[in-house]
Amino acid sequence: MEIARYLLIRFLTEVWGFKLDSESGGVLALRDGGNKVVVKTIFLDVYEEAALYKEISELAKYDYDKAFIAVLPSGLPLIDPKHLKSLGIGLISVDPSKGLDGVEMRLPAKPRDKPQAPGVDMARIISAVNAAVAEALNREAKKIEEELYERLRRYLDKAVEDLRRELAARPPIISPAQQQPQPSTPRQAVEENEWVKILRKKA
């Protein structure tokens, strides 16, 4: 079976021009330009249909753009081409007795359908972004307005309080009219006379 594997690799790289990336567990990972190609080698002395289809189903777990299975001519009668077509998997037969000429593609592989990302509505995204930005700006403007109002209120309260303290600390203002002595009445004039005061003391 080593000869079959060797001939298959030569065919894929020399005839088809694929680049071999790696080989593991009977699976060849190759590149065809930018496409990933996987080839599952199923080279058995005796083929069983159940085992064969199990090998085919395992291809689903690999990441590839195109996939093939490679079998010996004795395995071809057990493979249903319609089933492979429905999966998009290609088929290669390898007859080691014929050398490189014994490698033949029996069924082409179809590019694997990969899930497409849903369409993006850029207009809706832009509208949502603009709305979010406008809302954020409104919140920020309101916040700034509230902060300015609070600062102004505190400033005015402090200014009024300082003015009150300054006025309370000043001495009362006396008008000139209040400073002039009031004219005394005749009785007050008599009582304030110095002779009257002396006579009262002697009495």
Side-chain angles (χ1 to χ4, degrees):
M1 303 311 170
E2 185 65 23
I3 296 177
R5 185 191 67 81
Y6 169 74
L7 292 173
L8 176 63
I9 292 175
R10 279 194 59 191
F11 177 82
L12 295 172
T13 56
E14 296 178 13
V15 178
W16 282 4
F18 291 175
K19 180 182 178 182
L20 180 63
D21 282 345
S22 64
E23 179 182 2
S24 176
V27 177
L28 305 176
L30 307 103
R31 286 195 174 272
D32 178 19
N35 295 322
K36 296 178 182 179
V37 180
V38 171
V39 180
K40 177 74 172 177
T41 60
I42 311 173
F43 299 142
L44 304 173
D45 293 328
V46 179
Y47 285 96
E48 293 182 1
E49 188 173 2
L52 191 58
Y53 279 92
K54 181 180 178 182
E55 294 282 352
I56 294 173
S57 65
E58 288 184 356
L59 279 173
K61 67 183 181 182
Y62 294 97
D63 179 25
Y64 62 82
D65 296 299
K66 290 183 179 181
F68 294 86
I69 61 168
V71 299
L72 299 176
S74 58
L76 292 175
L78 299 177
I79 298 174
D80 181 4
K82 292 182 180 179
H83 178 67
L84 290 184
K85 281 184 179 180
S86 67
L87 298 175
I89 297 174
L91 175 62
I92 300 173
S93 66
V94 181
D95 186 352
S97 65
K98 297 181 180 180
L100 196 59
D101 293 335
V103 183
E104 182 182 357
M105 182 178 68
R106 297 300 184 97
L107 187 67
K110 293 192 302 184
R112 189 179 196 180
D113 293 331
K114 294 187 177 181
Q116 299 293 326
V120 178
D121 189 347
M122 292 303 299
R124 180 177 296 180
I125 292 177
I126 293 173
S127 177
V129 170
N130 289 339
V133 171
E135 184 179 354
L137 290 176
N138 288 336
R139 287 198 303 267
E140 192 66 22
K142 186 176 181 180
K143 181 179 178 182
I144 293 174
E145 182 181 352
E146 291 175 352
E147 289 180 355
L148 289 176
Y149 174 79
E150 183 62 22
R151 289 183 182 181
L152 180 60
R153 186 188 64 79
R154 289 199 300 265
Y155 174 79
L156 291 177
D157 289 347
K158 186 177 183 302
V160 171
E161 184 63 25
D162 291 344
L163 181 60
R164 286 177 179 173
R165 291 177 181 176
E166 183 180 351
L167 292 176
R170 289 181 181 179
I173 300 175
I174 302 175
S175 63
Q178 292 175 330
Q179 293 178 348
Q180 292 179 357
Q182 297 293 329
S184 59
T185 61
R187 180 179 178 83
Q188 289 176 334
V190 172
E191 291 178 351
E192 292 177 358
N193 187 281
E194 291 296 328
W195 291 105
V196 173
K197 291 180 180 179
I198 294 172
L199 291 174
R200 282 183 175 177
K201 288 181 180 180
K202 290 183 176 183

